[in-house]
Amino acid sequence: MSNEPVQEGRPTRADGLHIETRLLHAGAPAPVDGRAGPVNVPVVRTSTVRFPNTATQAALGASRAAGVPVATYGRHGMDTHRALEAAVATLEGGHRALLAPSGLSAITLVLLATLAAGDHALVSDSVYAPLRKVDRTLLQRYGVDVEYFSPARDDLEARIRPNTRLLYLESPSSLLYEVLDLPALAAIARRHDVVVAVDNTWSGGLYHQPLALGANISVQAATKYLGGHSDAMLGVVTVDSPELARRVGAIHDALGLSVSADEAYLVLRGLRTLDVRLARHQRNATEVARYLARHAEVARVYYPALPEDPGHALWRRDFSGASGLVSFAFRDGAARNAADFIDGLRHFAIGASWGGYESLALEAAPERLSEHSYWDGRGPVVRLHIGLEHPQDLIADLEQAFEALARTVRRTA
């Protein structure tokens, strides 16, 4: 298998332009009457929006009430926010994108916009773990019934109830990267008028198009690959229709969600280089994953771009590339091995996030893995984010950590 993406690119609109081209120009400032202007949309900060007259104020207020993304107050955002929303909507192939202060707040926004007291939601059991906290602390309190299930093993049709309103998925899944058959799952949900939402953070929106495959909503933690530099916190929700834009927009407004212009600018700037950064993440991660797959101390590598991964066929069908996330399970199940191994790394920082230029290592918490039906019980599991360093330097670092761990095990045996 090549280290390059499965496809060089793909046209996404009737104009025939590839997404890589559209991504550089979406949301860019338009030339004004031949005057010189900036390449990037400036950072536009404000708390108060001034109107030239009351008629304009009333007209913009009516437009906003109808779901048009215009600002009547500072927290609604200005030019910088509109540019980022337009760029993400283009990336995801959606009708509208709405910004949130973090990935988790974007997830919460989707849940609150699609569910009400007495409703039932089906959620894939290997989703981003904090969603379960939103369920326990918020949804249960307001009478929403969330059921976790295995999309690969359970009969989705049999689990849908008359009051099921949402199917929430993540593909590839958190920690172990299980790839779901999204077109099949979405087709079942749509037959029952169930909204389908997908966490698309793993692909950065570039290598996977959930809305084109049948989903109604795509969610990303823009903190990760869209920003790309580990210096911004932001989430984004992209919807496929004006009706969902109105529903999600109404809850967004009611919650008072607001994103600073500076954060929006950082993510918009990062988004312009998403294609070249992800290509490098993929090349590096594929090389590291192959090294790990050959290592005697590794029981299993979780990376769908590897031909031996159980989700590889679905990944080749529905994705055009892979990101920098690689997890592996130790052959020796001693829990201490993972911590000693991570502590011995020199070029991998220890951190809970990912998607920036740097490499990271983290032990997957056993209590989180136990929630995933995809997990086969092997462990411990280490999650790596493979950054933009030279892959041979990263492999050499992993190798010396394995060797140091082996010496420690021999001494304590």
Side-chain angles (χ1 to χ4, degrees):
M1 176 187 159
S2 170
N3 285 346
E4 297 297 324
V6 175
Q7 303 172 26
E8 289 297 322
R10 57 194 183 284
T12 59
R13 294 290 189 279
D15 61 14
L17 293 177
H18 290 77
I19 188 62
E20 294 83 355
T21 302
R22 295 179 60 86
L23 200 55
L24 293 185
H25 300 283
V32 180
D33 299 330
R35 291 181 297 175
V39 171
N40 295 314
V41 175
V43 179
V44 181
R45 309 179 188 91
T46 193
S47 60
T48 300
V49 175
R50 295 192 299 182
F51 306 94
N53 51 58
T54 56
T56 300
Q57 182 185 25
L60 288 175
S63 295
R64 182 160 186 82
V68 179
V70 294
T72 57
Y73 186 60
R75 66 178 168 84
H76 302 148
M78 298 291 287
D79 302 31
T80 318
H81 302 77
R82 298 294 90 78
L84 177 57
E85 290 167 352
V88 174
T90 295
L91 173 67
E92 295 272 16
H95 170 74
R96 182 185 171 191
L98 298 96
L99 308 181
S102 67
L104 182 57
S105 64
I107 293 170
T108 304
L109 173 62
V110 169
L111 297 174
L112 293 179
T114 57
L115 298 167
D119 287 346
H120 172 247
L122 284 163
V123 177
S124 53
D125 60 13
S126 54
V127 293
Y128 178 55
L131 183 150
R132 293 175 181 263
K133 183 183 294 185
V134 178
D135 173 21
R136 291 192 303 269
T137 61
L138 192 61
L139 298 183
Q140 291 179 22
R141 180 179 177 186
Y142 292 110
V144 175
D145 182 11
V146 175
E147 179 183 353
Y148 300 93
F149 78 112
S150 168
R153 296 164 178 78
D154 298 333
D155 183 352
L156 173 61
E157 191 108 39
R159 290 179 177 268
I160 293 178
R161 308 173 189 171
N163 64 332
T164 303
R165 298 290 178 263
L166 175 68
L167 173 65
Y168 191 98
L169 307 169
E170 184 173 343
S171 182
S173 66
S174 280
L175 299 178
L176 303 178
Y177 321 123
E178 177 185 17
V179 182
L180 307 182
D181 191 343
L182 178 56
L185 295 167
I188 295 170
R190 282 177 174 265
R191 285 201 299 270
H192 294 272
D193 294 322
V194 174
V195 173
V196 181
V198 178
D199 189 322
N200 196 28
T201 307
W202 185 90
S203 81
L206 184 67
Y207 290 155
H208 189 45
Q209 298 282 290
L211 302 185
L213 296 175
N216 306 105
I217 301 172
S218 181
V219 184
Q220 282 201 62
T223 305
K224 307 295 196 292
Y225 283 123
L226 294 187
H229 291 77
S230 301
D231 57 4
M233 293 290 295
L234 198 142
V236 61
V237 175
T238 307
V239 298
D240 70 344
S241 68
E243 189 273 332
L244 271 176
R246 285 190 293 272
R247 288 173 62 184
V248 177
I251 301 300
H252 186 281
D253 195 47
L255 291 173
L257 298 182
S258 180
V259 171
S260 79
D262 298 89
E263 300 286 285
Y265 178 85
L266 287 173
V267 173
L268 182 60
R269 186 178 65 175
L271 187 143
R272 302 304 189 196
T273 61
L274 178 65
D275 174 43
V276 292
R277 287 187 289 103
L278 271 179
R280 179 64 175 268
H281 282 295
Q282 177 181 228
R283 286 197 297 272
N284 288 0
T286 301
E287 195 165 338
V288 169
R290 286 173 171 163
Y291 156 77
L292 290 169
R294 296 190 298 267
H295 202 283
E297 297 302 317
V298 173
R300 179 175 174 181
V301 177
Y302 300 89
Y303 190 61
L306 291 180
E308 60 267 31
D309 188 277
H312 183 70
L314 286 174
W315 174 78
R316 285 189 65 86
R317 187 192 71 184
D318 294 342
F319 290 74
S320 60
S323 69
L325 284 169
V326 179
S327 293
F328 71 93
F330 278 94
R331 191 168 300 282
D332 183 349
R336 184 60 191 163
N337 284 5
D340 288 341
F341 174 82
I342 292 169
D343 287 343
L345 293 169
R346 298 165 181 166
H347 302 311
F348 290 78
I350 301 173
S353 192
W354 46 269
Y357 56 84
E358 75 284 7
S359 290
L360 298 169
L362 195 71
E363 182 177 2
E367 61 270 21
R368 294 286 177 259
L369 291 172
S370 65
E371 298 168 343
H372 298 203
S373 57
Y374 188 62
W375 189 43
D376 56 12
R378 301 184 194 185
V381 172
V382 172
R383 186 189 74 184
L384 302 175
H385 177 253
I386 307 303
L388 303 182
E389 301 93 342
H390 194 287
Q392 289 304 313
D393 293 334
L394 297 177
I395 289 172
D397 191 20
L398 293 166
E399 183 62 24
Q400 66 82 25
F402 277 119
E403 291 173 354
L405 178 63
R407 290 193 296 269
T408 298
V409 170
R410 286 195 296 269
R411 284 198 306 268
T412 58

